[in-house]
Amino acid sequence: MRLRMDKRILLPTDYSKNALNAIRYALELYRKVHCDFYILNAFHISSYTLDSMRVPETGEPYYEAAKQEAEAGMERLMQMVRLHPQNHKHEFHTITTFNSVTEAIRNVVDKKDIDMIIMGTKGITEFKARIFGTNTVNVMERIRECPVIAVPNNYMFEEPKEIVFPTDYKSPFKKKEMADVIELAQLFNATIHLLHIDKDKDGKLDRKEQGNKELLQEILEGVTHQMHFEPAANISDGINAFVDRHKCDMIAFLNRKHLFFGSILTNPLVKKIGYDPKVPILELNDN
């Protein structure tokens, strides 16, 4: 059965190979779906800082030069996108704007009612300060209106048939929080692997955790899913070992804003997954 749904997907780009790879991934991931793709470039002007008191205006030479460069980059990018097999279900919209990446994304998410953000990662940095580029982390932290898929460097598209969802069952779940991972699982007839990693309890849950586990099973009723317990010294080793063993094509996690005095990213589950993720990561938000 082919799913019919309309999606509005935001694809931020800095015109790098990495960003182009993420766009290609998005086109393949939603090839069966009617989509409006919004391709966004946030440009900067070297002689201005974004937090300075004075903002460059239309008509000023520095602004016009930067704008023209951004628009020329967008035209080159769209020529490459058009080399991808054409899909009548897909429409493209381009946006170039003077802004920080995160604020530009926030504006488009609000104005265009975006359903999903798909962007590339920077991979490992020389200082290993981030798993993803700083922009990707900032977007995951600050944009809570829609989920984010982060695509690793040079990742070649694979249909997400095996999706791992790490959880400690400490917080209750809501159906709308899980909607996007359920949608992808249904689109590709995938299995969602609920992975519980706990080095202290030998997989045993207290009454509250057991209740949350049962609630999650109810939410996933009708979706192929399996329950797993991974005894591991740390979360990173457990998730990565599971991904390798089960040949997982995606890691999905719920980024709870009230957890760990901020969010799961500040704790850092994502950092524990590894500095060089091998598969795309879908970040869901609580509501």
Side-chain angles (χ1 to χ4, degrees), residues 26-33 87 89-90 157 159 188:
L27 300 185
E28 287 296 325
L29 187 68
Y30 287 109
R31 68 181 181 272
K32 301 175 186 176
V33 179
N87 188 333
K89 299 184 185 72
H90 293 171
F157 178 79
E159 289 190 356
F188 292 100

Side-chain angles (χ1 to χ4, degrees), residues 41-203:
N41 174 256
F43 64 87
H44 308 283
I45 301 171
S46 57
S47 57
Y48 292 87
T49 59
L50 287 163
D51 56 358
S52 66
M53 295 296 290
R54 188 172 172 280
V55 176
E57 296 177 3
T58 303
E60 291 187 19
Y62 288 120
Y63 179 93
E64 291 300 325
K67 184 178 182 219
Q68 286 177 18
E69 185 179 347
E71 290 173 348
M74 185 65 77
E75 181 54 39
R76 289 192 297 271
L77 172 61
M78 292 309 298
Q79 288 174 4
M80 287 184 276
V81 169
R82 291 183 194 109
L83 294 176
H84 196 87
Q86 295 300 294
N87 188 333
H88 71 275
K89 299 184 185 72
H90 293 171
E91 290 190 23
F92 296 94
H93 313 268
T94 60
I95 302 169
T96 55
T97 181
F98 173 75
N99 211 334
S100 70
V101 173
T102 305
E103 284 307 306
I105 288 172
R106 187 191 306 282
N107 289 341
V108 177
V109 167
D110 290 344
K111 290 177 182 175
K112 302 298 182 183
D113 192 24
I114 296 297
D115 298 303
M116 176 77 73
I117 300 166
I118 301 179
M119 58 194 301
T121 71
K122 298 296 185 188
I124 200 160
T125 67
E126 56 181 313
F127 300 110
K128 297 191 177 182
R130 292 275 185 262
I131 338 217
F132 303 138
T134 307
N135 286 336
T136 313
V137 171
N138 285 342
V139 171
M140 285 181 163
E141 283 282 75
R142 297 176 188 175
I143 308 297
R144 307 199 54 86
E145 291 78 16
C146 66
V148 178
I149 295 178
V151 182
N153 284 350
N154 303 315
Y155 182 80
M156 298 297 290
F157 178 79
E158 294 282 347
E159 289 190 356
K161 294 289 192 182
E162 311 292 334
I163 303 171
V164 59
F165 183 83
T167 177
D168 55 13
Y169 298 116
K170 292 189 183 303
S171 302
F173 299 89
K174 298 176 185 174
K175 198 163 190 174
K176 60 184 176 181
E177 296 169 350
M178 300 296 295
D180 289 281
V181 69
I182 290 171
E183 187 177 88
L184 284 175
Q186 292 174 330
L187 190 60
F188 292 100
N189 296 315
T191 298
I192 298 177
H193 297 275
L194 305 174
L195 176 61
H196 176 222
I197 298 176
D198 193 327
K199 60 186 177 182
D200 300 320
K201 292 186 182 178
D202 298 323

